[in-house]
């Protein structure tokens, strides 16, 4: 029997345990193996690497842990994890059966897919991420966490995950904010069109920013569509773990 490998990629400040409640709603079967890499702690997957190098390393990681062509690989990426997953899909599309992207940003809609350092949107984002990088490096933990959670994009969250300073390297968090800044990410809309059949795009119905972005994507990317998660903010896996788990279960039922 062909095995199915499910890879979960957490978001910024995320932990592998963030997926526990989602995983509780998945089928218990020998045919399914679940991986939750902590990419802030795995050296080959950490933010010392650019998006492109990270994608190469993750593809290799999937090939090693997933058993290569004998298995079918599904990736579920949340927020930053979704943006990283996009780069892995771009690097080697044939390696992945499906990629589910939750609360994910495809990048600025530049005229070209390459990084444009003079784009005003990118410049503003770079300044913003550089500010947060400095905060996560030096500011008192409780204060920076409180300010981070107060950002409008996280509005309407049912539950904010507990985050203890001892679980992190602050230098690594700071580096992730600049190395993997949206300002450093190219426009991935071309990839969304090319790999439309492999993608499942999920957004919380209360996540106004990403809901608007997803609606625009239906106009910008031929064949693109998205699914909304009821009663959920940007933090879908904390607000609606059961609904997200059930959606993943539906996907897996076609494979198991």
């Amino acid at each position: 029997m062909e095995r199915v490998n499910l890879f979960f990629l957490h978001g910024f400040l995320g932990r592998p345990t963030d997926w526990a409640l989602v995983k509780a709603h998945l089928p218990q079967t020998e045919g399914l193996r679940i991986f939750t890499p902590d990419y802030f702690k795995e050296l080959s997957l950490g933010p010392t690497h650019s998006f492109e190098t990270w994608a190469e390393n993750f593809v290799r990681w999937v090939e090693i842990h997933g058993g290569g062509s004998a298995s079918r690989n599904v990736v579920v990426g949340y927020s930053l994890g979704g943006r990283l997953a996009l780069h892995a899909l771009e690097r080697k599309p044939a390696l992945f059966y499906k990629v589910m992207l939750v609360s994910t940003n495809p990048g600025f809609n530049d005229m070209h897919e390459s990084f444009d350092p003079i784009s005003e949107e990118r410049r503003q984002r770079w300044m913003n991420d550089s500010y947060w990088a400095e905060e996560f490096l030096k500011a008192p933990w409780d204060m920076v966490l409180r300010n981070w959670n107060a950002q409008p994009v996280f509005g309407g969250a049912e539950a904010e995950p507990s985050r203890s300073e001892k679980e992190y390297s602050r230098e690594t968090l700071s580096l992730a904010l600049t190395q993997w800044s949206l300002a450093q990410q190219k426009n991935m809309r071309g990839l969304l069109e090319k790999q439309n059949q492999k993608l499942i795009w999920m957004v919380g119905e209360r996540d106004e920013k990403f809901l608007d972005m997803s609606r625009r994507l239906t106009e910008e990317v031929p064949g693109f569509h998205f699914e909304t998660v009821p009663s959920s903010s940007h933090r879908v896996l904390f607000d609606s773990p059961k609904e997200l788990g059930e959606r993943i279960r539906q996907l897996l039922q076609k494979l198991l």
Side-chain angles (χ1 to χ4, degrees):
M1 182 180 71
E2 272 196 308
R3 193 169 52 236
V4 176
N5 299 307
L6 180 59
F7 299 88
F8 284 112
L9 293 174
H10 59 72
F12 179 74
L13 282 179
R15 312 283 298 123
T17 51
D18 290 352
W19 298 102
L21 291 177
V22 176
K23 287 159 59 176
H25 298 283
L26 299 181
Q28 306 295 313
T29 170
E30 290 182 6
L32 175 65
R33 293 201 304 171
I34 299 175
F35 301 87
T36 52
D38 186 345
Y39 59 79
F40 282 120
K41 292 186 177 176
E42 294 236 10
L43 290 180
S44 68
L45 302 179
T48 55
H49 303 288
S50 67
F51 280 121
E52 289 73 22
T53 304
W54 184 94
E56 291 177 16
N57 292 347
F58 182 68
V59 160
R60 196 174 304 120
W61 197 92
V62 169
E63 289 172 335
I64 291 169
H65 290 82
S69 59
S71 51
R72 289 163 291 179
N73 302 310
V74 175
V75 179
V76 180
Y78 163 69
S79 199
L80 171 59
R83 295 200 286 122
L84 290 167
L86 276 173
H87 288 81
L89 177 63
E90 180 185 49
R91 180 71 181 84
K92 194 168 184 180
L95 185 62
F96 304 104
Y97 173 75
K98 291 285 185 182
V99 176
M100 180 182 286
L101 300 165
V102 184
S103 305
T104 298
N105 196 320
F108 293 111
N109 192 13
D110 302 314
M111 191 67 71
H112 304 289
E113 291 193 352
S114 60
F115 171 44
D116 175 7
I118 61 171
S119 159
E120 180 60 23
E121 272 189 314
R122 287 188 187 274
R123 191 180 73 84
Q124 290 292 337
R125 179 60 183 242
W126 180 254
M127 290 173 61
N128 187 60
D129 286 341
S130 297
Y131 163 79
W132 282 114
E134 189 74 6
E135 289 289 287
F136 271 99
L137 191 61
K138 298 179 178 177
W141 181 257
D142 289 346
M143 185 185 79
V144 69
L145 206 61
R146 185 167 59 250
N147 292 339
W148 177 262
N149 286 327
Q151 294 180 97
V153 71
F154 299 130
E158 293 288 323
E160 290 178 1
S162 175
R163 303 301 191 194
S164 171
E165 182 176 3
K166 66 184 179 184
E167 295 179 323
Y168 302 96
S169 157
R170 297 187 68 162
E171 291 78 9
T172 301
L173 291 176
S174 179
L175 183 60
L177 284 160
T178 52
Q179 186 81 287
W180 295 334
S181 168
L182 194 68
Q184 302 273 34
Q185 178 179 312
K186 66 183 181 181
N187 178 10
M188 298 296 251
R189 285 162 180 77
L191 178 70
L192 300 191
E193 183 176 356
K194 288 177 195 170
Q195 301 300 333
N196 182 47
Q197 296 304 310
K198 289 184 183 284
L199 292 173
I200 300 170
W201 196 273
M202 310 284 289
V203 60
E205 71 171 0
R206 295 204 307 265
D207 186 357
E208 293 181 9
K209 177 181 177 180
F210 280 70
L211 199 55
D212 288 345
M213 182 190 304
S214 299
R215 287 170 178 148
R216 289 197 302 274
L217 284 171
T218 62
E219 301 170 358
E220 297 163 353
V221 179
F224 176 85
H225 68 278
F226 66 94
E227 301 175 26
T228 56
V229 184
S231 304
S232 184
S233 70
H234 185 80
R235 287 176 162 155
V236 173
L237 69 163
F238 301 108
D239 289 347
S240 305
K242 180 180 179 181
E243 289 77 4
L244 185 56
E246 289 296 336
R247 182 62 185 87
I248 297 169
R249 176 192 282 270
Q250 291 172 19
L251 168 61
L252 296 176
Q253 282 175 342
K254 299 175 183 177
L255 297 172
L256 293 169

